[in-house]
Amino acid sequence: MRRCQSRPGSMRPGTMRRNKVHTSRLTLQSFRKARPMELKQATVAMAALGQSTRLSVFRCLVQAGPDGRMPGEIAEALSLAGATLSFHLKELAAAGLIRGEPRGRFICYRADFDAMRGLLEFLTENCCGGGATCLPEACAPASRIAG
């Protein structure tokens, strides 16, 4: 005999939590597929990076490159408690800025460089009004201009 789905008001708390995680995954998938980035996606990403600890975690993962880092390495590098780091990793993942890959019992996190590139493209789209006088150097990082 098939069981009926329970009504939303009668769901167990654990079931509701799983649904929220599933929704985050859907948001993350749509974030990666959408090109060019939309205002709502950019707002979510910028909000995630608007907190200093999350920005530090994201920069740490960007510096690690495509190999990524294990949570213990990130926590040690940034002097963060495990629970604090876990919360911030979850927020960055929900914003689509990082990805986690299972490695045995642990998860290796890495920056999603496509998402980062999409955010930068969104921010610099039509730079200087899109006119012919726009200088590409104006949008380049200072380290590239000096070198």
Side-chain angles (χ1 to χ4, degrees), residues 54-78:
R54 281 195 287 275
L55 180 59
S56 296
V57 170
F58 184 71
R59 290 188 71 205
C60 180
L61 290 172
V62 168
Q63 292 167 1
D67 293 334
R69 284 194 165 174
M70 302 299 275
E73 297 170 346
I74 301 168
E76 186 178 329
L78 300 176

Side-chain angles (χ1 to χ4, degrees), residues 76-96:
E76 186 178 329
L78 300 176
S79 301
L80 294 173
T84 301
L85 176 62
S86 178
F87 170 76
H88 291 300
L89 289 170
K90 176 187 68 93
E91 292 296 314
L92 288 167

